[in-house]
Amino acid sequence: MSFPVDDLRARFPAYRRTVDGEPVAYLDGPGGTQVPQAVIEAIDDYLRGGGSNVGGGFATSHVSEAVVADARSAMADLVGGRPDEIVFGPNMTTLTFAMSRAIARGWGPGDRVVVTGLDHDANITPWVMAAADRGAEVRFAELDPSVPTVDLDHLESLLDDRVRLVAVTHASNAFGTVVDVARVVRSAHRVGALVYVDGVHHTPHRLVDVGELGCDFYVCSGYKFFGPHVGVLWGRRDLLDEIDPYRVRPAPADPPGAFETGTLAFEALAGLSAAVDHLAGIAGAAVGDRRKAVVASMEAVASYERELSRRFLAGIASIEGVDLYGIDDPGGPRTPTFAIGVAGWTPSALAGELGRRGLFVWAGHYYAVEPMRRLGLLEDGGLVRIGFVHTTTSTEVDRLLEALGELAASRGAR
Ligand SMILES: Cc1ncc(COP(=O)(O)O)c(C=O)c1O
């Protein structure tokens, strides 16, 4: 089956935006994605239908309850877990701060946490602060700068029975590298440590199967996978039962509700289910078993994105002055996210120039401060990040390559 990119794009109103008559190319998927019309309509329908909090004995309250239940079941299908293992929150960072504090209640001096030199700061600082509160120690699993990825041999050398938890990313939002999380889980579980996986960058690009990974927690964020701004945490049910979260007294005592402080964003949850249905529908089989549809769709997405990567990587290889920080094999363990430097250009000047041409890319460290520091790039303004998604076209890739070729040749702003 050829990938139906034109049909899929037609579902996104944001693709109608232009700059100087040229269509906008959204090439910063890792920073946030656009949403299909179905997501907008689901949010709109919820708000127009009359909203209410859950737990009331009347129709609109039942509607909100159904919206929450549907969203739990949609997210369970997206990550391969169970609906009663899905926790919602404002975003991944807030969920991780809350979960780290709850988990750390059981830590004390002598305990250790392992974080990595590859991760986004949202999967580092919450653990560092939670450990500091409890007098526990933090160890960094080093970056292998040649890829860049986590040096898994180093990570494993840090594991012993003092380690209570390993926090690791499934894919880097800076370089696109996919980490062998299943290996981390096997090693961490051998010493009795839990594994908390940041799946924010992985979720829009590749199939997530928490059962196969064997991890204990997996977090992602709706606005990175074509949905609204809502954070999602999957946690092993027995652990959610065990952990005592910070919550107000009248709130539900049982998970997942016990972990959801305050009132949920019901309209966002309605949109979230529609985003999962969008993903499930890519391979054309949204009806029936949605998990199976997700599996087929994410395989199709991965293979289409690999083609985009192949085109982009072949293109930049022939542009003098472009340096790629990441895996140059499109078939390697990577998403279609590329961090580059261009000789003669600061990252922000280059991103600004591309933006004026309607090519929206990001510049800086994108909160991946630890890897940027380790690569010696933090003080120099980081790198330019280009991130494709399943609605990116080969025409957009070519437009970007042409602009990069021109700008690299002109060596403009220093
Ligand atoms: C890899 C990764 N982890 C975590 C986050 C934080 O997610 P949120 O914005 O939902 O807090 C981001 C956001 O950029 C990210 O890219």
Side-chain angles (χ1 to χ4, degrees):
M1 176 193 90
S2 71
F3 194 76
V5 64
D6 293 332
D7 287 354
L8 291 165
R9 275 173 80 85
R11 301 177 194 173
F12 287 68
Y15 282 119
R16 292 188 210 127
R17 182 186 272 275
T18 57
V19 166
D20 293 338
E22 280 283 319
V24 158
Y26 297 98
L27 302 176
D28 188 42
T33 47
Q34 308 310 314
V35 300
Q37 180 69 22
V39 168
I40 299 166
E41 279 170 15
I43 295 170
D44 188 76
D45 282 352
Y46 174 81
L47 292 172
R48 279 176 197 281
S52 156
N53 214 328
V54 292
F58 46 89
T60 50
S61 183
H62 301 325
V63 168
S64 297
E65 286 159 9
V67 160
V68 176
D70 286 351
R72 288 200 209 286
S73 126
M75 283 309 304
D77 286 341
L78 188 66
V79 302
R82 286 180 3 206
D84 66 354
E85 297 174 317
I86 299 291
V87 174
F88 296 118
N91 49 54
M92 178 276 185
T93 307
T94 306
L95 277 173
T96 302
F97 267 113
M99 193 48 96
S100 60
R101 263 185 254 132
I103 294 174
R105 293 176 105 172
W107 299 348
D111 288 334
R112 282 186 182 160
V113 180
V114 172
V115 295
T116 89
L118 181 69
D119 272 76
H120 184 286
D121 211 51
N123 203 27
I124 296 178
T125 294
W127 302 108
V128 170
M129 295 183 79
D133 287 348
R134 300 283 152 186
E137 236 182 288
V138 178
R139 292 286 167 98
F140 270 87
E142 269 316 320
L143 185 76
D144 172 353
S146 67
V147 180
T149 192
V150 182
D151 180 341
L152 292 186
D153 292 334
H154 182 242
L155 187 150
E156 283 166 343
S157 77
L158 301 175
L159 298 177
D160 60 29
D161 60 8
R162 283 168 294 187
V163 178
R164 306 294 300 272
L165 183 137
V166 177
V168 64
T169 194
H170 200 179
S172 159
N173 68 314
F175 316 105
T177 325
V178 174
V179 175
D180 185 353
V181 164
R183 173 174 161 188
V184 174
V185 170
R186 281 193 301 275
S187 306
H189 283 180
R190 242 176 257 135
V191 298
L194 298 174
V195 180
Y196 188 96
V197 181
D198 176 356
V200 171
H201 183 59
H202 190 276
T203 308
H205 301 293
R206 298 286 180 274
L207 181 67
V208 180
D209 188 334
V210 290
E212 206 166 280
L213 290 174
C215 58
D216 302 291
F217 303 96
Y218 195 95
V219 261
C220 52
S221 206
Y223 74 100
K224 309 280 192 182
F225 57 85
F226 319 99
H229 291 85
V230 53
V232 187
L233 178 143
W234 167 86
R236 251 177 51 207
R237 178 66 201 209
D238 59 317
L239 288 170
L240 295 182
D241 281 327
E242 221 173 84
I243 297 164
D244 190 11
Y246 289 84
R247 64 181 182 88
V248 293
R249 287 169 299 167
D254 293 327
F259 289 85
E260 295 169 333
T261 46
T263 306
L264 293 172
F266 304 122
E267 64 276 21
L269 295 182
L272 190 70
S273 298
V276 174
D277 284 339
H278 165 80
L279 284 169
I282 287 173
V287 287
D289 184 331
R290 185 168 48 193
R291 175 62 185 168
K292 278 196 188 137
V294 164
V295 173
S297 294
M298 295 316 288
E299 270 165 22
V301 165
S303 131
Y304 176 69
E305 289 182 350
R306 264 194 292 277
E307 284 315 307
L308 295 175
S309 296
R310 198 180 311 283
R311 197 175 188 100
F312 177 74
L313 288 166
I316 55 163
S318 63
I319 304 175
E320 210 182 307
V322 175
D323 282 324
L324 173 75
Y325 290 75
I327 297 169
D328 60 5
D329 172 6
R334 62 151 36 263
T335 67
T337 291
F338 308 94
I340 61 165
V342 175
W345 288 86
T346 63
S348 67
L350 185 70
E353 187 49 43
L354 290 169
R356 276 185 282 284
R357 297 168 185 227
L359 300 161
F360 294 178
V361 303
W362 207 265
H365 54 62
Y366 356 103
Y367 283 28
V369 286
E370 292 296 339
M372 288 293 174
R373 193 196 328 277
R374 283 163 167 75
L375 292 171
L377 294 164
L378 207 51
E379 276 72 44
D380 297 335
L383 292 168
V384 166
R385 176 179 67 186
I386 292 152
F388 306 141
V389 293
H390 71 271
T391 44
T392 304
T393 63
S394 51
T395 310
E396 288 176 322
V397 176
D398 291 348
R399 256 179 81 193
L400 174 69
L401 287 169
E402 200 185 318
L404 282 175
E406 248 180 59
L407 295 170
S410 77
R411 305 217 164 183
R414 270 158 212 280

